Amino acid sequence: MTETLTYRHLFGPGPSNCYPEAIAALGHPVLGHLDPLFIEILDRACEGLRQVWGTGNARTLPLSGTGSAGMEAAFVNTVEKGDVAVIAVNGLFGERMCEIARRAGAEVVRVDHEWGRPIDPERVAAAHPSPKVIAAVHAETSTGVLSDIAALGQLKGDALLITDAVTSIGGLELLADDWGIDVGYAGTQKCLGVAPGLAPFTISDAAFERRVKDPQSWYLDIGLLGGYAGAASGSKRTYHHTAPVAMIASLEAALGRVLNEGLDAVQARHAAAGLALQNGLQEMGLELFAAEDSRLPSLTTVRVPHGVDSAAVRSYLLENFSLEIGAGAGEFASTVWRIGMMGPNANPASVVLVLGALKEAIAKA
Amino acid sequence: MTETLTYRHLFGPGPSNCYPEAIAALGHPVLGHLDPLFIEILDRACEGLRQVWGTGNARTLPLSGTGSAGMEAAFVNTVEKGDVAVIAVNGLFGERMCEIARRAGAEVVRVDHEWGRPIDPERVAAAHPSPKVIAAVHAETSTGVLSDIAALGQLKGDALLITDAVTSIGGLELLADDWGIDVGYAGTQKCLGVAPGLAPFTISDAAFERRVKDPQSWYLDIGLLGGYAGAASGSKRTYHHTAPVAMIASLEAALGRVLNEGLDAVQARHAAAGLALQNGLQEMGLELFAAEDSRLPSLTTVRVPHGVDSAAVRSYLLENFSLEIGAGAGEFASTVWRIGMMGPNANPASVVLVLGALKEAIAKA
């Protein structure tokens, strides 16, 4: 029914614009979910995901839902009634973890931090003597803050470490195995440059052994899902549910693009774009929100100047430049902007465009 | 990474080939999930879904998962520990309902039927004096059987009627309101002619009032989801999770195509293709599996002739004609084939193609 196609410059907290390869793959003929040709695509997607996760985990696969489904999968497969979950909260997605863990029956021990600051691994690790899981967000999409997951991994003890990598995967260094991540989930619509709809997921063999054997969710039961993704070593592929074949083909194409460019180069591109944006914003006299040593390159948070109408600026950008930036999250909805430089958008032209457009919008909105 | 694109004729139980409009929409520029332009697309998709569901339910929306996520949403939002769920089982998806309801805490009363036969509404309704929900599959994808949901709706009493319409929506008559369906879920990859990845979902106001208020799933909590889809009357749109924007745009385009052709015409096209296929198969001397008065036009089940290797025939079709048909489900895996005529594939050319190819494959495989 849509007749006019509008191109949006997507510089919000996600979705980002997609890699051209990802869009092109969506236009390919659809394959059956059990077709040998599709299984090859799925296998390549899983292998590509292992590389961006920095893991050798056999059970690394795209779940058939968005990043929040990945979050739910992480908890329903690891905690059940009475298990203790220590959760580091320094933004909206840490909050969401608490809610999802509670619904999975866990006794939630939340460790609150100021929004805009990274988590304190020592405080998190000391919050409970014997949790079943410890969970933290690597890159908080709500605040633009990067936390040190490797440090938390060293302190986790016998707990399983759950990590949200939604806004880091495919754009920032992410070394699940080296850092001690036992269960990780992410999204496709940020640095991976794919439309939203899949949740890249990984779980170590050791965590799989300690998983909840009869999780409350059938749809997200990793014990069943691994069979279809062919991840359970030596086992035959079994039907679980009809895989979202078009989205998986799109993910596979984007991963091919990212790995062909090279993870180091992609990360350097994100780092450079983020830094240039942050420098430019400060040169305009704006104040960044996230703590100085913990700023995400992929997502920059900046305070709305005093006297400026946040929503009016965002509307001005959308109407005049077809350019989207994000409002702040939670209590910062009208006092912070969130500006993403992700996937194909992490480049010098994006920086020039955003800075120039924002400058005009602040002056005229 | 894929270089050669292979077109498959998808005549299995789903995914089907997609409507061209649905594929084209996937190639459109991605929009933000809160962009006013995307909200218009979402609203049109929800309105189109109301039409194919035959409902005026405000809470009619595409869930961000496949049909099985829809099934899980139906149960986690209606039953919790101790609630009785009467479930009609006449195939694989009735079985799956039992498993998902059990994990939601329900006391499951299953009413078994022979596979290949429709459900018996009177027996189902009499199975328990006061269930919270009664659930049945409208069109069993595992057996190709259509059941009379309207009759069950008349007998449901105070129970909420949950209906699986995965293989009927968009191709067969479906009148949720008239039939007394309180909660319905479906998939996009069958008669709607969209890639798999979304679950069209509907829940009546009355069922919403009687829902589980704190469901075990956050991702599928209809109390939260309705706010984003703008379905809760008078309420402001609220962020829940990042919507799978590309898939929703594809669904909206397909619904536009279907409604433009007209529901009656689309249903007649499916009916004609199914009947012609079934007649043709019988003229070839093959025996249909589903009971005569209950055969789905969208999905035909046929017995593998004695002495013929089911898998060899399917491989022959794939290799020689790039044509997929499905194996049987469950214990009929090697003794039944499943042949779909769905969405754009429900047409006379498909019938000629499938019959001709199958005849050769049986002779030569």
Side-chain angles (χ1 to χ4, degrees):
Chain A
M1 292 180 264
T2 310
E3 312 241 307
T4 307
L5 297 184
T6 302
Y7 184 87
R8 295 296 203 203
H9 300 281
L10 297 178
F11 294 111
S16 171
N17 294 109
C18 300
Y19 283 113
E21 292 85 347
I23 295 287
L26 287 175
H28 290 184
V30 169
L31 297 172
H33 59 108
L34 301 171
D35 191 309
L37 291 178
F38 175 70
I39 298 300
E40 286 178 22
I41 290 173
L42 176 62
D43 284 347
R44 280 199 300 270
C46 293
E47 183 48 39
L49 287 179
R50 284 183 197 100
Q51 296 197 46
V52 291
W53 271 113
T55 186
N57 290 340
R59 291 177 187 80
T60 303
L61 69 164
L63 299 182
S64 304
T66 67
S68 294
M71 186 188 287
E72 191 151 305
F75 286 97
V76 299
N77 282 292
T78 56
V79 293
E80 57 194 326
K81 195 165 172 53
D83 288 333
V84 172
V86 168
I87 300 177
V89 180
N90 66 334
L92 184 68
F93 294 92
E95 296 270 4
R96 183 172 297 179
M97 281 179 162
C98 295
E99 175 62 11
I100 285 178
R102 179 190 69 76
R103 294 192 190 210
E107 180 191 322
V108 175
V109 177
R110 57 181 287 163
V111 185
D112 277 291
H113 300 70
E114 187 184 345
W115 283 36
R117 305 278 318 166
I119 65 159
D120 176 345
E122 297 202 0
R123 198 154 64 82
V124 174
H128 191 278
S130 57
K132 171 86 183 284
V133 303
I134 296 176
V137 177
H138 183 214
E140 245 299 346
T141 316
S142 63
T143 61
V145 164
L146 182 70
S147 285
D148 187 348
I149 300 299
L152 188 56
Q154 294 209 318
L155 301 170
K156 70 178 180 178
D158 290 332
L160 297 174
L161 176 58
I162 294 176
T163 299
D164 177 323
V166 170
T167 300
S168 53
I169 194 166
L172 277 72
E173 182 177 66
L174 179 61
L175 300 170
D177 288 353
D178 289 354
W179 295 353
I181 295 173
D182 297 288
V183 181
Y185 62 88
T188 48
Q189 74 275 17
K190 316 269 183 181
C191 303
L192 287 175
V194 180
L198 298 175
F201 188 84
T202 190
I203 182 170
S204 69
D205 287 352
F208 185 78
E209 288 305 313
R210 293 174 61 193
R211 77 188 185 282
V212 174
K213 297 305 188 299
D214 186 29
Q216 62 189 32
S217 172
W218 179 91
Y219 188 63
L220 300 173
D221 182 346
I222 192 65
L224 301 174
L225 288 165
Y228 172 70
S233 58
S235 73
K236 201 165 171 297
R237 219 173 275 275
T238 52
Y239 165 68
H240 179 256
H241 66 272
T242 302
V245 291
M247 286 298 305
I248 290 173
S250 184
L251 172 62
E252 188 261 352
L255 286 165
R257 156 70 182 257
V258 165
L259 296 172
N260 191 46
E261 181 176 346
L263 278 182
D264 286 350
V266 169
Q267 290 168 14
R269 182 160 56 75
H270 280 79
L275 185 63
L277 175 67
Q278 289 160 14
N279 288 339
L281 291 168
Q282 289 177 303
E283 284 162 18
M284 282 169 57
L286 299 180
E287 185 187 349
L288 300 181
F289 176 74
E292 183 165 2
D293 293 336
S294 307
R295 289 175 188 149
L296 286 174
S298 48
L299 185 65
T300 294
T301 45
V302 56
R303 292 185 189 274
V304 177
H306 188 70
V308 170
D309 180 341
S310 163
V313 167
R314 292 193 300 114
S315 294
Y316 186 95
L317 290 170
L318 202 63
E319 286 162 20
N320 290 275
F321 301 110
S322 202
L323 189 156
E324 177 180 284
I325 67 171
E331 66 173 296
F332 302 100
S334 61
T335 55
V336 165
W337 289 311
R338 291 184 292 163
I339 307 177
M341 293 268 154
M342 303 169 175
N345 287 1
N347 66 55
S350 296
V351 178
V352 169
L353 171 57
V354 168
L355 290 173
L358 185 61
K359 190 169 184 178
E360 179 178 318
I362 291 173
K364 297 195 181 175
Chain B
M1 289 179 265
T2 310
E3 312 240 309
T4 307
L5 297 184
T6 301
Y7 184 86
R8 294 294 203 205
H9 300 281
L10 296 179
F11 294 111
S16 170
N17 293 108
C18 300
Y19 284 112
E21 292 86 346
I23 295 288
L26 287 175
H28 291 183
V30 169
L31 297 172
H33 60 108
L34 301 170
D35 191 308
L37 291 178
F38 174 71
I39 298 300
E40 286 177 24
I41 290 173
L42 176 62
D43 284 347
R44 281 199 300 270
C46 292
E47 183 48 38
L49 287 179
R50 283 182 198 99
Q51 297 196 46
V52 291
W53 272 112
T55 186
N57 290 340
R59 292 179 186 81
T60 302
L61 69 164
L63 299 181
S64 305
T66 67
S68 293
M71 186 187 289
E72 190 150 305
F75 286 98
V76 300
N77 282 292
T78 56
V79 294
E80 57 194 325
K81 194 166 174 51
D83 288 333
V84 172
V86 168
I87 300 176
V89 179
N90 66 334
L92 183 68
F93 293 92
E95 295 270 3
R96 184 171 297 178
M97 281 179 161
C98 294
E99 175 62 11
I100 286 178
R102 179 190 68 76
R103 294 192 191 209
E107 181 189 322
V108 175
V109 178
R110 57 181 287 164
V111 185
D112 277 290
H113 299 70
E114 187 185 344
W115 283 37
R117 305 280 315 165
I119 66 158
D120 177 344
E122 298 202 359
R123 198 153 63 83
V124 174
H128 191 276
S130 57
K132 171 84 183 284
V133 303
I134 296 177
V137 177
H138 183 215
E140 246 298 347
T141 316
S142 63
T143 61
V145 165
L146 183 69
S147 285
D148 187 348
I149 300 299
L152 188 56
Q154 293 209 320
L155 302 170
K156 70 178 180 179
D158 290 333
L160 298 173
L161 177 57
I162 294 176
T163 299
D164 176 322
V166 170
T167 300
S168 54
I169 195 167
L172 276 72
E173 183 179 63
L174 179 61
L175 300 170
D177 289 355
D178 289 355
W179 295 353
I181 295 174
D182 297 289
V183 180
Y185 63 87
T188 49
Q189 74 275 19
K190 318 267 183 179
C191 304
L192 287 174
V194 180
L198 297 175
F201 188 84
T202 190
I203 181 169
S204 69
D205 287 352
F208 185 78
E209 289 306 313
R210 293 173 62 193
R211 78 189 185 280
V212 174
K213 298 304 189 296
D214 186 29
Q216 62 189 32
S217 172
W218 179 91
Y219 188 63
L220 299 173
D221 182 346
I222 192 65
L224 301 174
L225 288 165
Y228 172 69
S233 59
S235 73
K236 202 167 170 296
R237 220 173 275 276
T238 52
Y239 164 67
H240 180 255
H241 66 271
T242 301
V245 292
M247 286 297 304
I248 290 172
S250 184
L251 172 63
E252 188 260 352
L255 286 165
R257 156 71 181 258
V258 164
L259 296 172
N260 192 47
E261 182 177 347
L263 277 183
D264 287 349
V266 170
Q267 290 166 16
R269 181 159 56 73
H270 280 78
L275 186 63
L277 175 67
Q278 289 160 13
N279 287 340
L281 291 168
Q282 289 177 305
E283 284 162 17
M284 281 169 59
L286 300 180
E287 185 187 350
L288 300 181
F289 177 72
E292 184 165 4
D293 293 338
S294 306
R295 290 176 188 149
L296 287 175
S298 47
L299 185 64
T300 295
T301 44
V302 56
R303 292 186 189 274
V304 177
H306 188 70
V308 170
D309 180 341
S310 163
V313 167
R314 293 193 298 113
S315 293
Y316 186 95
L317 290 169
L318 202 63
E319 286 163 20
N320 290 276
F321 301 109
S322 201
L323 189 155
E324 177 180 283
I325 66 170
E331 64 173 296
F332 302 100
S334 61
T335 56
V336 166
W337 288 310
R338 292 183 293 164
I339 307 177
M341 294 268 152
M342 302 169 176
N345 288 0
N347 66 56
S350 296
V351 178
V352 170
L353 171 57
V354 167
L355 290 173
L358 186 61
K359 191 169 182 178
E360 178 178 319
I362 290 174
K364 297 197 179 173

